[in-house]
Amino acid sequence: MRVVSLVPSLTEAVAVTAPGLLVGVTDWCSHPAGLGVPRIGGTKNPDVPAVVALRPDLVIANEEENRGPDLDALRAAGIEVLVTEVRTLGQAFRELERVLVGACGLGRPAWLDEAETAWAAVRTPRPVRAVIPVWRRPWMVLGRDTFAGDLLARLGVLNVHGDHAERYPRLGVDELRGSGAELVVLPDEPYAFGPGDGPEAFGDLPAAFVDGRALTWYGPSLAEAPAVIGAALRAALPAPDRGP
């Protein structure tokens, strides 16, 4: 089978499970390292003729990461396109099985079982109210109905903008500061927040620096994500604030 992946998370999932299937990936597909597969552009601007020229049996995409017109153009060229939707952890597990087992005909990978076991073992601590930026200039934060927000909620992070009408609202920094948050969670992707870029906007509010791949990717990294994200949260807040 010949597979083109337009989603970094799904690229890693396929590459780790059956690397020989991939014949094309995006410029943003950084895992696993050293992936020697032709690049076909970005997630938002793939080179459609280049994808068609690779003669894939299947293109895997995501409703949030990829644009409808590009997927329609691939379908018009006679290529099967599977579009995933991942807004919760449960959806991630179901969609990964649909892609790997259902569409690609592979056996269920051990890492998927390990990821489900790791998350099933999570015991949610006392909730901590947090603001969760994903971009600045302009500031954008996690709002309602997001995969990253669901993961953080399972680890005791109560998103203060979780009921916002938009999924990724743009808000002024003064509004973010006045949100009543006890914590700011700063992932290193899609915006590369770090100790010198981000926390200064929030004064004395504790900052948790979170690995963006652990927070936003749905694939093999899910097995380590509870430990990785949990460690970042514990490092930002004193033990008594995290509860038992």
Side-chain angles (χ1 to χ4, degrees), residues 83-106:
V83 181
T84 59
E85 179 180 313
V86 178
R87 300 192 182 189
T88 67
L89 180 63
Q91 275 187 316
F93 290 142
R94 291 191 295 273
E95 291 288 57
L96 285 165
E97 182 158 6
R98 182 164 76 103
V99 169
L100 298 172
V101 180
C104 295
L106 304 172

Side-chain angles (χ1 to χ4, degrees), residues 67-162:
R67 301 186 321 120
D70 295 322
L71 305 183
D72 290 341
L74 291 170
R75 293 188 184 99
I79 296 172
E80 181 180 356
V81 179
L82 186 158
V83 181
T84 59
E85 179 180 313
V86 178
R87 300 192 182 189
T88 67
L89 180 63
Q91 275 187 316
F93 290 142
R94 291 191 295 273
E95 291 288 57
L96 285 165
E97 182 158 6
R98 182 164 76 103
V99 169
L100 298 172
V101 180
C104 295
L106 304 172
R108 182 180 168 89
W111 61 259
L112 187 53
D113 291 330
E114 293 166 3
E116 289 194 333
T117 298
W119 281 99
V122 168
R123 296 295 176 264
T124 305
R126 181 185 70 82
V128 175
R129 292 171 55 81
V131 58
I132 310 157
V134 293
W135 201 260
R136 70 182 302 179
R137 306 183 189 94
W139 285 96
M140 296 176 64
V141 299
L142 291 186
R144 63 171 182 85
D145 194 24
T146 67
F147 174 69
D150 186 51
L151 263 56
L152 287 169
R154 294 167 186 269
L155 294 168
V157 175
L158 178 62
N159 181 5
V160 296
H161 299 106

Side-chain angles (χ1 to χ4, degrees), residues 166-180:
E166 299 177 21
R167 297 184 65 221
Y168 299 99
R170 299 186 181 191
L171 302 173
V173 68
D174 290 339
E175 188 173 358
L176 299 181
R177 289 172 181 158
S179 64

Side-chain angles (χ1 to χ4, degrees), residues 151 153 191 197:
L151 263 56
Y191 186 92
D197 189 351

Side-chain angles (χ1 to χ4, degrees), residues 40 45-54 69-75 77 79:
I40 47 77
N45 58 344
D47 184 336
V48 171
V51 174
V52 174
L54 290 170
D70 295 322
L71 305 183
D72 290 341
L74 291 170
R75 293 188 184 99
I79 296 172

